[in-house]
Amino acid sequence: RDDSWRGWLAILFSKYIPSSFASRHVLLWDWVWSIRVSERPRPLIAIWPRGGAKSTSAELATIAVATRQARKYGWYLCETQDQADDHVQNVATLFQDAGFERAINKYGTAKGWRRNRVWTKSGFTLDALGLDTARRGAKLDENRPDWVVIDDIDGELDTEDTTLKKIRVLTRKVLPAGSSDL
């Protein structure tokens, strides 16, 4: 049995991964695999070029922390709500590919398997969040986000003022809303 991230990716997601990994991918996956329940990892900031598989890697990393039950509640944060919704839909497809089931309420309907939320039977939930809708203090039941993916937050026409505003939203609204082990 191969408990490594390489083995996990090869078994579940071989169609999404290359035959070899660049050093940036190894750095990311070693970091993801080191995340433990209730432990705050060192933050990882990975700035990758277009076409470098950053979004696919971030989406797969979300599946990894859910599969390993290292995290309970995540946000997928993008510049706009529409972008974030698209990524959460991609993650939903990956969850289905990995055999995850939807969370069902006592009335037999899905608790959250829609464009902006995926809630699995195993308890992991991922919400889409756009910087244009970022909120402070948000939580799901008793859980504050303990997993945040920040992806596609830059815009082609961003000015210095726009960039500073985004930094303020990230540092004053998004990151402070996280759990102690975010």
Side-chain angles (χ1 to χ4, degrees), residues 10-155:
I11 291 167
L12 290 176
F13 300 108
S14 60
K15 68 182 177 183
Y16 295 98
I17 59 169
S19 57
S20 63
F21 293 91
S23 59
R24 66 178 173 266
H25 300 117
V26 172
L27 175 70
L28 170 75
W29 283 104
D30 284 346
W31 178 81
V32 167
W33 228 246
S34 74
I35 295 174
R36 301 284 180 259
V37 174
S38 300
E39 291 181 14
R40 185 178 197 146
R42 289 183 57 139
L44 176 67
I45 299 172
I47 302 170
W48 295 0
R50 183 163 297 286
K54 82 180 154 41
S55 293
T56 300
S57 296
E59 292 163 3
L60 289 169
T62 299
I63 304 301
V65 298
T67 299
R68 301 176 74 240
Q69 297 183 336
R71 292 294 178 259
K72 295 177 188 171
Y73 177 41
W75 284 349
Y76 205 107
L77 178 72
C78 296
E79 182 179 30
T80 68
Q81 187 66 48
D82 285 342
Q83 288 172 302
D85 291 349
D86 286 345
H87 284 290
V88 167
Q89 285 301 294
N90 291 342
V91 171
T93 298
L94 294 169
F95 271 129
Q96 290 171 333
D97 290 351
F100 277 76
E101 295 180 36
R102 300 172 187 207
I104 304 295
N105 67 21
K106 68 180 184 176
Y107 304 107
T109 60
K111 285 175 110 174
W113 203 277
R114 53 189 189 266
R115 70 177 173 77
N116 63 348
R117 172 172 284 168
V118 176
W119 196 332
T120 69
K121 184 177 179 180
S122 64
F124 183 83
T125 306
L126 182 68
D127 282 339
L129 185 65
L131 279 179
D132 54 347
T133 63
R135 58 198 188 269
R136 283 186 58 182
K139 61 182 184 169
L140 179 69
D141 295 336
E142 72 281 358
N143 297 316
R144 292 197 176 275
D146 55 3
W147 175 256
V148 176
V149 172
I150 302 170
D151 188 10
D152 295 331
I153 60 168
D154 58 318

